[in-house]
Structures are given as C-alpha cells and as structure tokens.
Amino acid sequence: MARNRRGQQAREAVVEEVDGGLAELMPDRERARGWTLLVDGAPQSHVDLDDPSYLDFEYQRRIGHIVDLVAPPGRPLHVLHLGGGALTLARYVAATRPRSTQQVVERDTALVQLVRRALPLDPGARIRVRGADAREGLAKTPDGWADLVIADVFSGARTPAHLTSAEFLGDIRRVLKPTGWYAANLADGPPLAYLRGQLATAATVFPELALVADPAVLRGKRFGNAVLLGAAQPLPVAELTRRSAADPHPARVEHGRALLDFSGGAAAVTDASAVASPAPPSSVFR
C-alpha cells in the first residue's frame, strides 16, 4: 500500500461482486478511516470507523435525529433495521446508545460478509445480522419488541414492491412497542406519486406521521430522499424541525394538516396493488 505526502498509507478501493451487483468500497479522502459503499454505482452508505456517530449522507443524518429523539439520551434501545448496507445506522445506535440490542435483516449475505471483513464492527456492539428478505425477517420478530424500526431497503436503487404495502406496515406496527417509532427512507421525484401513496398507506396504520425532506424534493423540483416517520403517540415535531433545519443541507418537516394536504388524496397501497419505487434518473449519481 502506497503512502501519501503526509506519510499516511494511501487506501485503495475494495471492489467485489455481491448478490445485488458490483459493490465498491471507496476511501473517503477527507476522513482517515472513512468509506463510501456503492452498489452498481449507486451510493448506499458511508462509514467512519474512527467515529461511527458521524453521518455523512443527508437522509442518514435525518434518521440519526430520530434515533436521538425516540427516547431520552443514552437510553439503550431495541432497534430492528430492515436493510443493512454498510451497517451505518446500526453503528450509530451502538455508539450513541451503548448496550442497545439491534437486529439487522439484510438479504444480500455476500454484501454483509464484505462489510464485516472490510469495515469490522465494534466487537462490543450488540448487533446481530440475519441474512433474509426484509419481510421474512420482520415476520420472525416478536410482538412489541422494537423501540424503533428503520426501513432502508433498496434493490437496484428501488424499494421492492412487497415492502411498500399496508400489510407490510401493519406487521411493522405489530413488532413496535406502544411508544415505538417507524422510520423509512423513501426515494421519489416529480410528480411524487410514489411518495404520496406511501403517506396515504402509512396513515392507515400510524395515527401520527411526519415527513422530513429537502424542500426542493417536497416541491417536486428534483429526485431525492425523504424520511417518513410514523408512531402511535404524538411526535416531537418542533425538536425534529429544529434539528433538521440546522443540518448542513437543511430539511423541512411536514406534519398534521400540511402533510395530509401534501398526500393529495392518494390511495393506500396494498399487496395486490404494490409496485416498486421509481428508478432514479441516471443524472442522480453523476
């Protein structure tokens, strides 16, 4: 391994075929032990092994705020992650809430093996990774187990259809504690039909909802990520709004009547009508 001008070892990319395509772990030139995971050219995760509390991707910072607010600071959580990537959010929970118990369900076992080998987990972190489809793993989770369920599942840059329905969300509600929250990473672009449908679907399961996204995405100006938050009890919308607005790339939080108006009367999605999320335009990853 070569050395750069500062005498540090220059890291090389790690490239391997995994079940979902070509995985690339690219070194972050600005962080000594930072890495970005791409699958078939689509950015999936960023990890800083020296500081797992650092979240580089916008949507992951927004989910990080949710992790921070779901319970009093430092309290251990039971967290179910549907989709693993580079295990960025599981690492964040372990770093910010020690003694948390976490289950990660990731279908791509070859990707999990690559990540475990190249980006090893803290041996003290209580993170169990299960190789299974997200819905199959969810079905095996006990009733009322989770403080937080995070859904971040993409196949070929699209969320599979069977993970977009009211039946799927109903099973998530089953595994949540009465005070538990559901957070999902959704991706859509104009005319935002998919995002509106997911809001309508979530409203059939969760009485309390919020949506966090870049204002340009909410206005239908560009393709991007939005984080959907659902719960059975009132959410700390004011604090979530404050934190989201203070991010390097500020986000807007919609809730209540404004969120209902945003959904625009879209129909809820069922297993029978479900379709995968839209494919991002090729320009998104350039």
Side-chain angles (χ1 to χ4, degrees):
M1 187 178 290
R3 292 182 176 272
N4 61 24
R5 292 179 181 177
R6 296 180 180 179
Q8 299 172 329
Q9 289 185 331
R11 297 168 297 157
E12 297 179 355
V14 179
V15 182
E16 289 187 13
E17 286 287 346
V18 296
D19 299 338
L22 185 68
E24 300 172 90
L25 285 171
M26 307 298 294
D28 182 339
R29 302 304 180 190
E30 297 182 359
R31 304 184 75 88
R33 298 184 71 206
W35 297 85
T36 298
L37 168 66
L38 300 91
V39 177
D40 282 345
Q44 301 287 326
S45 305
H46 178 279
V47 169
D48 186 337
L49 295 176
D50 285 335
D51 182 9
S53 68
Y54 172 77
L55 298 175
D56 186 71
F57 286 13
E58 295 175 23
Y59 87 88
Q60 290 182 331
R61 282 198 301 273
R62 292 159 192 167
I63 295 178
H65 297 324
I66 291 168
V67 171
D68 295 343
L69 294 173
V70 70
R75 197 189 86 184
L77 301 176
H78 283 185
V79 183
L80 174 64
H81 301 261
L82 302 178
L87 307 176
T88 303
L89 291 168
R91 297 171 200 265
Y92 179 84
V93 173
T96 60
R97 293 181 177 274
R99 303 182 308 282
S100 291
T101 300
Q102 301 187 75
Q103 299 272 352
V104 179
V105 181
E106 172 56 61
R107 182 174 184 173
D108 195 330
T109 55
L111 176 61
V112 171
Q113 292 170 1
L114 168 62
V115 168
R116 280 186 174 279
R117 185 178 71 252
L119 308 176
L121 288 166
D122 181 340
R126 299 169 62 178
I127 301 171
R128 179 187 176 191
V129 184
R130 177 185 300 169
D133 173 79
R135 196 149 169 182
E136 293 173 0
L138 177 64
K140 295 178 181 178
T141 306
D143 294 3
W145 180 84
D147 295 291
L148 178 63
V149 175
I150 299 173
D152 186 14
V153 186
F154 286 84
S155 176
R158 304 177 71 184
T159 300
H162 70 295
L163 305 182
T164 68
S165 68
E167 291 90 341
F168 169 65
L169 293 185
D171 210 22
I172 286 177
R173 178 73 184 268
R174 173 188 63 79
V175 308
L176 285 172
K177 297 176 181 179
T179 57
W181 294 2
Y182 165 62
N185 176 30
L186 308 176
D188 198 9
L192 300 178
Y194 171 75
L195 184 56
R196 298 183 204 279
Q198 288 302 288
L199 286 168
T201 306
T204 68
V205 178
F206 296 102
E208 299 291 334
L209 295 174
L211 187 69
V212 190
D214 184 308
V217 173
L218 293 178
R219 291 196 300 268
K221 298 295 185 182
R222 68 173 181 87
F223 192 98
N225 296 83
V227 174
L228 174 64
L229 177 60
Q233 300 184 7
L235 295 164
V237 172
E239 180 61 17
L240 181 60
T241 299
R242 186 189 69 78
R243 293 180 182 224
S244 300
D247 277 340
H249 297 278
R252 195 169 83 209
V253 177
E254 294 286 8
H255 66 100
R257 182 67 194 182
L259 190 56
L260 180 63
D261 291 343
F262 178 81
S263 65
V269 177
T270 66
D271 280 343
S273 63
V275 296
S277 67
S282 58
S283 59
V284 168
F285 304 130
R286 289 177 183 169

